[in-house]
């Protein structure tokens, strides 16, 4: 589901970028380590801040990144123009039907996009499908508790049915053989969950 104008403003904003670099990436790295030299997929890359974090902070060898919104992909292309084509590939795509072959990535990264998918369970299944055995899944997600808050309901657009709690999200990931265990952090009183799992 595409962002409305309010959420686009909140996402395409230096404060969001700072939170992503300083806090979310730091938590992910603490939970799952670096991705040095690896082939990584970022789902819902937005304007490409996460892609840059995966390249620079996580030291990925190459990052393939997509977003449902062509405007976001265009912004990501501008941000990442200095990287050679063999390190970054950006495209328009849908996380519920990932355009990639089975077991083709060493890691998948989700900076807050799966709560935008009406059939989020299908997206988790897709993440599992494209991950190699032993691959890592890093996630930062927004829970039902947050989506039920007045601000989210009034100003932002999200699917309203079939949302998840932090525990339901981790359980769904684990049901696909991506082991999370206690490797999660509940942030903002459980409004957000950050974690890292390992595909068996
Ligand atoms: C909350 S924003 C997060 C953007 C970016 N990852 C960040 O952290 O700044 C969610 C992003 O997911 C994208 N999106 C929503 N549904 C999607 C889908 N089914 N497949 C791929 N991207 C999707 C939106 O266009 C938006 O860019």
């Amino acid at each position: 589901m595409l962002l409305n104008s309010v959420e686009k403003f909140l996402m395409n904003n230096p404060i969001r970028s700072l939170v992503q670099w300083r806090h979310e990436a730091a938590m992910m790295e603490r939970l799952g380590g670096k991705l040095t030299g690896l082939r990584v997929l970022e789902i819902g890359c937005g304007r490409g801040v996460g892609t840059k974090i995966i390249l620079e902070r996580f030291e990925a060898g190459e990052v393939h990144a997509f977003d449902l919104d062509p405007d976001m992909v265009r912004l990501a292309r501008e941000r990442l123009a200095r990287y050679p084509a063999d390190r970054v590939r950006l495209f328009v795509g849908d996380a519920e039907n990932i355009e990639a072959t089975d077991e083709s990535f060493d890691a998948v990264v989700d900076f807050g996009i799966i709560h935008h998918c009406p059939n989020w369970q299908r997206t988790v299944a897709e993440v599992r499908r494209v991950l190699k055995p032993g691959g890592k899944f890093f996630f930062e997600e927004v829970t039902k508790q947050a989506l039920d808050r007045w601000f989210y309901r009034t100003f932002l657009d999200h699917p309203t049915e079939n949302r998840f709690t932090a525990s339901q999200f981790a359980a769904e990931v684990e049901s696909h053989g991506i082991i999370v265990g206690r490797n999660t952090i509940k942030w903002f009183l459980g409004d957000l969950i950050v974690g890292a799992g390992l595909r068996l």
Side-chain angles (χ1 to χ4, degrees):
M1 185 176 198
L2 296 181
L3 308 187
N4 68 10
S5 55
V6 176
E7 194 169 2
K8 256 193 183 171
F9 171 76
L10 294 175
M11 287 297 112
N12 296 349
N13 186 295
I15 295 171
R16 165 70 193 145
S17 176
L18 199 72
V19 169
Q20 223 175 332
W21 273 100
R22 289 259 178 93
H23 300 287
E24 294 175 5
M27 284 188 269
M28 284 182 181
E29 190 182 334
R30 184 143 47 92
L31 296 169
K34 294 217 188 263
L35 298 169
T36 309
L38 298 180
R39 185 168 199 263
V40 181
L41 177 72
E42 186 190 9
I43 60 174
C45 62
R47 63 181 180 142
V49 173
T51 316
K52 196 165 176 190
I53 291 172
I54 299 163
L55 288 162
E56 301 292 335
R57 181 173 186 139
F58 287 84
E59 302 171 355
E62 61 181 284
V63 184
H64 298 232
F66 67 88
D67 199 283
L68 194 60
D69 185 340
D71 287 345
M72 290 296 210
V73 175
R74 183 181 48 76
L75 291 174
R77 284 204 174 107
E78 286 171 12
R79 176 177 306 278
L80 300 161
R82 76 178 175 88
Y83 292 93
D86 61 349
R87 289 205 69 203
V88 182
R89 178 180 161 242
L90 296 160
F91 57 103
V92 175
D94 182 354
E96 289 188 20
N97 293 288
I98 298 176
E99 202 183 285
T101 51
D102 297 357
E103 302 186 351
S104 52
F105 287 97
D106 301 300
V108 175
V109 181
D110 152 35
F111 278 108
I113 109 100
I114 294 181
H115 67 285
H116 274 277
C117 296
N119 189 346
W120 65 273
Q121 292 95 336
R122 181 172 167 90
T123 301
V124 173
E126 282 288 90
V127 168
R128 155 67 173 72
R129 180 181 69 73
V130 301
L131 259 186
K132 293 179 188 172
K136 293 177 184 176
F137 175 38
F138 290 84
F139 54 85
E140 176 261 316
E141 267 312 325
V142 181
T143 64
K144 178 174 181 339
Q145 178 179 298
L147 299 177
D148 285 343
R149 293 195 190 281
W150 174 82
F151 178 83
Y152 279 82
R153 284 187 286 107
T154 308
F155 295 108
L156 311 179
D157 268 347
H158 292 97
T160 51
E161 306 297 321
N162 184 31
R163 300 300 85 196
F164 49 79
T165 63
S167 320
Q168 284 166 343
F169 186 77
E172 182 70 20
V173 170
E174 291 218 324
S175 77
H176 290 276
I178 301 172
I179 303 311
V180 176
R182 295 188 172 187
N183 223 13
T184 59
I185 296 169
K186 286 184 189 164
W187 205 28
F188 282 100
L189 302 169
D191 277 10
L192 303 174
I193 178 173
V194 180
L198 198 65
R199 203 206 125 171
L200 294 175

